[in-house]
Amino acid sequence: QESNDSKLGIVIVLDGGRLKVGSILPGSVSTRSDLQVGMIIESINGHQVSTSAEAVVLIDAIEGNVTFVVSTGTPSSVADVSSNNGDANQNEDSAVTMPWEEEHFVPVTKAGKQKSPNVIRSELQKYIDQCKADGSRTQTNIIDEMGVNNNTFRRYMNPRTYKDQWSALQNGTYRAAARLLAKAKFESDMAKKSGSAKRKA
């Protein structure tokens, strides 16, 4: 089984139950990285994948640098491949920062405008209701992950607390919820794409 990732210009193959770099296309950004043909791919941006199709779906979903943890039978190393400017390097201490992990992360709409507190409140309530319905998480668990206390959460979730909805930006729940929702959406999209890739395979 093999899959060709056009973004990075590499062919990923499944060999003996292990994902490997099958070939690297001439002139691609990967030729300037530390990736080599035959390297075993341990993980991609911290995610472990079991098929070449899953690997390609994951790479396509990542914006910015793609980090492979690879091995050649010796201790693992890390190879960064930038799909933006072709800058690639090896850095064993590198870590991929997702958008919602950025210090100044701001949730935006598809049109590029900042999401209002009312929109985030609505999306958070919908997420909580969905988690309760499918039994995946409790409201207490969600609040704990956001790192806010119950009083702060309840003030934010009550729209009558604020005469001007934008005043709710001062409540820590706004950014905490925005980060949580962005992460949840990414994980949901990844699961859907992975499932679609498996069906095609």
Side-chain angles (χ1 to χ4, degrees), residues 66-110:
V66 180
T67 301
F68 295 85
V69 174
V70 296
S71 67
T72 56
T74 56
S76 297
S77 60
V78 177
D80 279 350
V81 182
S82 171
S83 57
N84 288 339
N85 55 21
D87 178 31
N89 57 71
Q90 183 171 351
N91 180 357
E92 297 197 4
D93 296 323
S94 66
V96 176
T97 301
M98 302 306 277
W100 58 85
E101 296 173 335
E102 296 283 353
E103 182 180 355
H104 302 293
F105 169 72
V106 175
V108 294
T109 64
K110 290 182 179 179

Side-chain angles (χ1 to χ4, degrees), residues 44-63:
I44 303 173
N45 278 33
H47 297 276
Q48 292 186 334
V49 291
S50 56
T51 68
S52 57
E54 283 182 30
V56 171
V57 168
L58 175 59
I59 291 170
D60 287 342
I62 296 171
E63 296 181 1

Side-chain angles (χ1 to χ4, degrees), residues 1-3 11-23 36-44 47-55 68-77:
Q1 182 192 39
E2 70 173 45
S3 295
V11 174
I12 299 173
V13 300
L14 185 63
D15 181 15
R18 305 296 298 272
L19 287 179
K20 294 182 179 181
V21 179
S23 62
Q36 296 177 17
V37 173
M39 281 185 164
I40 298 170
I41 300 173
E42 305 284 356
S43 66
I44 303 173
H47 297 276
Q48 292 186 334
V49 291
S50 56
T51 68
S52 57
E54 283 182 30
F68 295 85
V69 174
V70 296
S71 67
T72 56
T74 56
S76 297
S77 60

Side-chain angles (χ1 to χ4, degrees), residues 112-129:
K113 294 184 178 180
Q114 180 174 354
K115 289 186 177 181
S116 71
N118 285 350
V119 169
I120 292 296
R121 181 185 298 111
S122 175
E123 290 181 354
L124 179 59
Q125 188 60 61
K126 182 178 179 181
Y127 177 70
I128 291 173
D129 292 342

Side-chain angles (χ1 to χ4, degrees), residues 104-170:
H104 302 293
F105 169 72
V106 175
V108 294
T109 64
K110 290 182 179 179
K113 294 184 178 180
Q114 180 174 354
K115 289 186 177 181
S116 71
N118 285 350
V119 169
I120 292 296
R121 181 185 298 111
S122 175
E123 290 181 354
L124 179 59
Q125 188 60 61
K126 182 178 179 181
Y127 177 70
I128 291 173
D129 292 342
Q130 178 184 333
C131 289
K132 285 181 179 179
D134 61 28
S136 59
R137 306 183 70 177
T138 64
Q139 178 170 300
T140 300
N141 175 265
I142 293 170
I143 294 173
D144 287 344
E145 182 176 340
M146 289 193 296
V148 299
N149 63 49
N150 270 308
N151 289 335
T152 300
F153 170 78
R154 292 184 187 285
R155 278 198 302 273
Y156 178 79
M157 295 304 288
N158 181 1
R160 291 190 294 274
T161 302
Y162 307 96
K163 292 181 180 179
D164 175 7
Q165 67 155 323
W166 291 99
S167 298
L169 292 178
Q170 305 304 316

